Amino acid sequence: MNIEENVKNLLNGLSENPFGEKVTLVAAVKTQTPSNINAAINAGITDIGDNRVQEFCEKYDKITGNPKRHFIGHLQTNKIKYLLGKVDLYHSVDRMNLAEELSSLGEKRGVTSEILLQVNIGNEATKGGFDYSEIFDVYKKVKALPNLKIRGLMAMLPDSDDNKLLCTLAHRMRDAYDALKSADENICALSMGMSGDYRLCIDAGSNMIRLGTAIFGTRNYN
Ligand SMILES: *Cc1c(COP(=O)(O)O)cnc(C)c1O
């Protein structure tokens, strides 16, 4: 696996989405060593995303090149304190009490956090996120919290070969994103797309993709 080559090919192949928006490539770096991550950054990666708090913290100072830091995994409220002020964008705000805690701890520490609301677009029991039908209610409630800035929406499509279904769900996410964006000029990110489905997601209007396998190869969890 040649990380540099993968990154260059991916970045060269990324064009604007059909809405004329630039697509940001976030490298999903879970299980990767700092040296692999730094190789990706040297090749042009500007944004990296972690899933686990402990990994994020252990690697934090070993990353070169000052990339933007994203947190893309499930976050327990009692671990917010380790991330506060170090994360540029939280993708995975998937429940109200996480938003509330992120804001209230931020208030105490003088930190405003940028977040995406995670939507469980496939209605899957195995995935977190708000129901599609409650996005606007949630948006209004979260908008009222003082130390958060909502930047958009995040979704993970189901693991399915049914491209028609995946396209429908991805377009549904873009519809919700457009509706929020027309009401709020701070909305700028629709984070949707992983190694297996990112092309389909970009075609549907995603402007932020999170790729691990396509950059680093198959993950080794040992
Ligand atoms: C691991 C992960 C990705 C990347 O998955 P790949 O299929 O390896 O590209 C994207 N998003 C989230 C939330 C992840 O946990």
Side-chain angles (χ1 to χ4, degrees), residues 7 37 50 52 55 72 76 86 116 120 137 142 176 182 189 197 204 208:
V7 168
I37 299 167
D50 262 294
R52 296 191 189 85
E55 245 188 276
I72 63 176
Q76 293 170 265
K86 291 183 164 178
L116 306 179
N120 189 352
D137 288 342
V142 175
S182 68
D197 61 14
M208 190 172 275

Side-chain angles (χ1 to χ4, degrees), residues 7 108 134 174 191:
V7 168
K108 283 179 203 140
E134 60 178 352
R174 179 69 203 201
S191 168

Side-chain angles (χ1 to χ4, degrees), residues 28 30 51 72-73 154 156 193-196 210-214 217 219 221:
K30 58 175 173 275
N51 284 70
I72 63 176
M154 181 272 218
M156 271 182 277
M194 318 202 328
S195 294
R210 310 173 308 268
L211 305 185
T213 311
R219 271 182 295 280
Y221 283 97

Side-chain angles (χ1 to χ4, degrees), residues 15-82:
S15 47
E16 290 180 343
N17 71 14
F19 297 83
E21 298 159 347
K22 184 180 167 295
V23 177
T24 301
L25 169 55
V26 179
V29 299
K30 58 175 173 275
T31 77
Q32 302 304 328
T33 60
S35 118
N36 279 356
I37 299 167
N38 291 334
I41 292 168
N42 281 333
I45 286 294
T46 55
D47 293 67
I48 63 173
D50 262 294
N51 284 70
R52 296 191 189 85
V53 173
Q54 194 181 342
E55 245 188 276
F56 177 92
C57 293
E58 280 169 5
K59 289 186 295 202
Y60 188 82
D61 289 326
K62 299 183 177 133
I63 304 298
T64 56
N66 200 24
K68 281 209 166 139
R69 314 279 183 143
H70 301 246
F71 195 79
I72 63 176
H74 179 74
L75 179 55
Q76 293 170 265
T77 50
N78 64 353
K79 300 214 169 137
I80 294 171
K81 56 181 181 280
Y82 303 115

